[in-house]
Amino acid sequence: MRLGDGAKGRSPFPPIADYGYLSNCHVSALVAPSGNVEWLCLPRPDGPSVFGAMLDRDAGGFRLGPADSVVPAGRRYLPGTVVLETTWMTRTGWLIVRDALAIGPWHHERTRSSTHRRPPTDQDADHVLLRTVKCVRGTVDVEVECEPAFGYGTRGGEWEFASDGYHVAEVLDSAAPEDRAAEPLRLRLTTDLRLGFEGRRAIARSTLDEGDNAFVALAWSRHSQGPSTYDEAFYAMERTSDFWRGWLASGDVPDHGWRPHLQRSALTLKGLTYAPTGAMIAAATTSLPETPGGARNWDYRYSWIRDSTFMLWGLYTLGFDREADEFFYFVADAVGRDGTLQVMYGVEGERTLAETELDHLSGYEGARPVRVGNRAFEHEQHDVWGAFLDSVYLHMKARDVVPEWIWPILERQVEHVLEIWRLPDRGIWEVRGPKRHFTHSKVMCWVAADRGARLAELRGERELATRWQAAADEIHGDVCANALDERGVFCQHFETTALDAAVLLIPLVRFLPSDDERVRATVLAVESELTEDGLVRRYDVEETDDGLGGAREGAFVICSFWLVSALSEIGESERARALCERLLAHSGSLNLYSEAIDPCTGRHLGNFPQAFSHLALINALMHVIAAERRAEGGTFSGGVMTG
């Protein structure tokens, strides 16, 4: 079904916030409430979609559910996991479906993995989308419909039986892979139901009675064929659940009423990591619109240095630090011998991410163009270096040592910042209008020099520490001299009095103390002038030339949670908590967030799930919890509360 205008009639696209998110730390999948898998890219998270109904109803899907119902009775994650459970009530019975991207034991024993650069662990992705179903009462007619559309919906495939009987089928992508050394993508569908084919669809229909179980597994790797019996499928699902619960138990999440939100955000950030290299992607999707029906549609399936280091802040706050080691080695690999660090990379360190448009896809609710690739890799965004160095400092200061292997990279980045900080850039929001002297970019250049000086002290590099700290002081003075308006409020850039939500980070990165009047004035100005129904916009599109013609966008979730943290910093604890509760009420039914929210409708907008949103949630909730503990006479340190 093609849509010319997503606003006409009832949309066939589910609300973005209603999708369930699955991950095996290699790829991601999104499951609609109907039980249809509407997004899965293979063999990498930034690869072409096999199921792409999220961007065009003709671009492939994989449904499992009752034959006569598409609205479930309830959905949840099994506690502490990324295993999605959907409960169905039909006229004749009750059904429970569980979905997961399976995780199993490390399986490269005789041959080495062609993608893994990090040390092997005990577990690895099974390369299987696993679905189990159980009839818990009465009788339910169940159906399976699997229709892949390879290459972002450009190619179908012909299913063939791959064994005796009706339980195993395969379909081959007819196009040659871009990597000539790679094998063509082959999907293997295994089930204990009876399969048949209708055109390009593999279909199974069966009646389950009370107590009956069934499974369906879709595999795409020669290393894993998937389970062949329900017992094997049940064991694989339990093993996957154990993996996620074991990872979550390795952290330190506060015992608080908001703990489920913190846990879900931590699991989501972990799911957005790419285990083979340590990369962290900004979101699982491309081209979900920031403006309904509009052109603010970007591909976020890449590793931005800024986003990734902010993700590490969130994970580190909750006691997860192994991901930091993996990411720093990813950066070291990506930087290579020349030592230059760019804004973003592909998940295996690719430097060129050419941006193209897929004209054959209608887009989510008619929002076009649909883009793959992202030319922001060419942008100059000077805040990136500060985010990276702050993350390194946060990680290294507890160890009181800076490893020899990372020091040359850090030194080159600080020296680079000292060369470019006086120049204009595109800013944190990657505006495609003129370059400006963005306040946030200058502040983060200060962070780079300041944290660099502290890291130099840790290494005993006194001369470097002195020179870098002097540079930090110069940047600090420049910002304070040029970024303030007549009210003492920090503005978006040096040539304007317009506001920008990114200045909320000024107290959070300790550019100025929280009791400084300029900080208080800035936070309250953003709260008063850049919010709608309490939710924060990045900037006023009528005052900021972002190269997109002033198109309206939603309030950004990360900015709204930044305001929570900033209000806590300036002592406005009650206002911070009230805004935090409002934001938590805006989460989807599965406690997931996209990039933005329409303040008028509460509708989620932009790519999903969004790492920026979840890391800011963690930071905000920890700020409010810390304020509560201080009010009760306790202290809060490193994610651990003590009396």
Side-chain angles (χ1 to χ4, degrees):
M1 181 181 295
R2 300 275 175 165
L3 292 183
D5 185 352
K8 293 180 180 179
R10 181 176 177 272
S11 172
F13 291 85
I16 291 171
D18 286 354
Y19 281 97
Y21 171 66
L22 307 177
S23 173
N24 58 11
C25 300
H26 280 233
V27 297
S28 300
L30 293 178
V31 187
S34 66
N36 193 31
V37 177
E38 298 193 355
W39 188 247
L40 175 65
C41 298
L42 299 175
R44 301 183 350 173
D46 57 349
S49 66
V50 171
F51 304 127
M54 172 177 265
L55 294 179
D56 189 302
R57 304 315 281 174
D58 291 333
F62 176 18
R63 182 176 187 267
L64 169 62
D68 57 354
S69 178
V70 294
V71 180
R75 300 164 82 218
R76 65 162 188 154
Y77 284 107
L78 297 188
T81 78
V82 189
V83 175
L84 180 65
E85 181 180 86
T86 304
T87 301
W88 298 89
M89 180 186 69
T90 74
R91 290 172 296 176
T92 58
W94 287 79
L95 198 70
I96 293 177
V97 174
R98 289 181 178 175
D99 295 322
L101 284 166
I103 295 175
W106 180 262
H107 50 265
H108 293 282
E109 296 298 342
R110 297 185 179 179
T111 59
R112 287 190 295 274
S113 167
S114 61
T115 58
H116 266 79
R117 298 180 193 168
R118 304 283 73 84
T121 61
D122 293 336
Q123 292 89 25
D124 189 26
D126 243 354
H127 309 296
V128 174
L129 175 57
L130 181 60
R131 318 190 74 176
T132 62
V133 57
K134 180 181 180 67
C135 182
V136 295
R137 181 175 292 276
T139 298
V140 180
D141 292 334
V142 174
E143 70 176 8
V144 176
E145 294 185 357
C146 185
E147 184 178 5
F150 300 101
Y152 296 109
T154 58
R155 302 181 298 276
E158 298 298 326
W159 286 97
E160 296 180 348
F161 286 110
S163 70
D164 295 337
Y166 294 90
H167 302 295
V168 183
E170 291 186 347
V171 61
L172 180 68
D173 183 1
S174 59
E178 292 184 6
D179 180 358
R180 295 184 178 181
E183 298 178 359
L185 183 61
R186 183 185 299 273
L187 303 181
R188 182 181 179 92
L189 189 66
T190 306
T191 178
D192 49 5
L193 304 174
R194 290 178 297 278
L195 289 169
F197 310 135
E198 292 182 359
R200 294 176 173 177
R201 294 185 299 169
I203 292 178
R205 296 188 178 97
S206 186
T207 299
L208 298 186
D209 297 322
E210 185 171 327
D212 286 348
N213 301 300
F215 81 96
V216 186
L218 186 74
W220 54 88
S221 170
R222 60 186 175 87
H223 297 292
S224 177
Q225 301 297 307
S228 57
T229 65
Y230 177 80
D231 287 344
E232 291 179 3
F234 177 82
Y235 175 72
M237 193 72 77
E238 290 295 296
R239 189 174 56 204
T240 301
S241 298
D242 289 344
F243 166 82
W244 290 111
R245 290 185 178 124
W247 178 82
L248 197 59
S250 69
D252 189 8
V253 182
D255 186 15
H256 188 274
W258 289 339
R259 187 172 188 171
H261 291 278
L262 291 167
Q263 290 178 326
R264 182 53 47 200
S265 289
L267 287 165
T268 302
L269 294 181
K270 175 64 174 176
L272 291 170
T273 63
Y274 183 64
T277 63
M280 297 179 166
I281 61 174
T285 58
T286 179
S287 300
L288 295 185
E290 297 171 15
T291 302
R296 294 177 181 270
N297 315 320
W298 315 112
D299 192 346
Y300 277 11
R301 299 170 299 158
Y302 304 109
S303 183
W304 273 259
I305 296 298
R306 175 205 307 113
D307 296 48
S308 299
T309 52
F310 280 6
M311 288 168 71
L312 294 179
W313 291 357
L315 290 174
Y316 190 82
T317 299
L318 297 178
F320 303 102
D321 58 1
R322 177 170 182 172
E323 287 68 27
D325 291 328
E326 302 288 339
F327 177 71
F328 293 148
Y329 277 104
F330 165 73
V331 170
D333 290 344
V335 165
R337 294 182 179 180
D338 65 0
T340 59
L341 186 65
Q342 65 183 45
V343 167
M344 59 188 290
Y345 297 91
V347 295
E348 291 187 6
E350 296 87 354
R351 288 173 169 263
T352 302
L353 307 171
E355 185 176 303
T356 58
E357 297 179 0
L358 304 181
D359 295 333
H360 65 282
L361 295 178
S362 69
Y364 179 86
E365 291 193 340
R368 303 179 72 182
V370 173
R371 294 182 173 95
V372 295
N374 196 310
R375 68 182 176 92
F377 78 91
E378 301 173 326
H379 285 184
E380 296 175 45
Q381 299 168 27
H382 297 167
D383 66 301
V384 170
W385 325 127
F388 177 62
L389 282 150
D390 194 38
S391 181
V392 174
Y393 176 68
L394 176 70
H395 191 61
M396 300 300 176
K397 70 176 182 178
R399 294 157 174 76
D400 203 31
V401 64
V402 180
E404 187 68 31
W405 66 268
I406 201 173
W407 177 248
I409 298 173
L410 304 181
E411 186 175 3
R412 281 192 287 269
Q413 304 323 310
V414 178
E415 293 293 348
H416 178 69
V417 167
L418 301 193
E419 292 174 4
I420 55 86
W421 73 266
R422 294 180 180 86
L423 302 175
D425 73 331
R426 300 285 183 187
I428 185 174
W429 308 126
E430 301 172 351
V431 298
R432 301 195 175 194
K435 295 180 182 179
R436 301 289 188 186
H437 292 279
F438 286 102
T439 300
H440 171 72
S441 294
K442 304 293 187 186
V443 168
M444 295 308 288
C445 285
W446 170 83
V447 170
D450 178 79
R451 304 313 192 257
R454 299 186 192 193
L455 289 165
E457 284 283 355
L458 279 178
R459 279 189 55 86
E461 301 277 357
R462 300 294 174 81
E463 184 177 341
L464 274 181
T466 300
R467 180 162 63 85
W468 290 350
Q469 190 57 58
D473 294 342
E474 183 182 0
I475 300 170
H476 196 283
D478 186 55
V479 173
C480 292
N482 294 295
L484 293 162
D485 67 9
E486 294 180 353
R487 302 175 296 170
V489 170
F490 284 99
C491 300
Q492 183 182 60
H493 57 79
F494 288 4
E495 299 87 13
T496 188
T497 58
L499 291 176
D500 189 315
V503 299
L504 292 171
L505 286 173
I506 285 175
L508 304 185
V509 299
R510 306 300 182 234
F511 180 81
L512 286 172
S514 299
D515 58 1
D516 189 291
E517 283 302 315
R518 293 166 292 184
V519 170
R520 183 174 184 83
T522 299
V523 173
L524 296 181
V526 170
E527 181 189 36
S528 173
E529 301 169 29
L530 210 55
T531 60
E532 183 175 345
D533 193 28
L535 303 182
V536 183
R537 298 191 183 278
R538 297 187 296 177
Y539 46 75
D540 187 335
V541 295
E542 295 181 358
E543 295 184 285
T544 298
D545 181 4
D546 58 11
L548 293 171
R552 185 179 181 274
E553 63 178 17
F556 264 53
V557 176
I558 187 172
C559 300
S560 301
F561 277 120
W562 280 347
L563 181 57
V564 171
S565 298
L567 286 169
S568 292
E569 287 281 343
I570 65 172
E572 297 289 345
S573 300
E574 292 302 318
R575 287 155 79 173
R577 181 178 181 87
L579 177 55
C580 198
E581 290 175 340
R582 178 180 295 181
L583 286 167
L584 294 179
H586 275 294
S587 72
S589 60
L590 296 171
N591 287 344
L592 297 173
Y593 289 86
S594 64
E595 185 174 31
I597 296 173
D598 186 326
C600 299
T601 64
R603 180 184 186 185
H604 284 230
L605 303 167
N607 285 306
F608 180 87
Q610 177 77 211
F612 248 6
S613 300
H614 286 278
L615 65 92
L617 178 152
I618 292 171
N619 188 268
L621 267 60
M622 297 295 271
H623 264 89
V624 175
I625 292 171
E628 290 178 356
R629 295 300 187 263
R630 285 194 297 270
E632 295 168 359
T635 59
F636 189 83
S637 175
V640 181
M641 281 159 275
T642 57

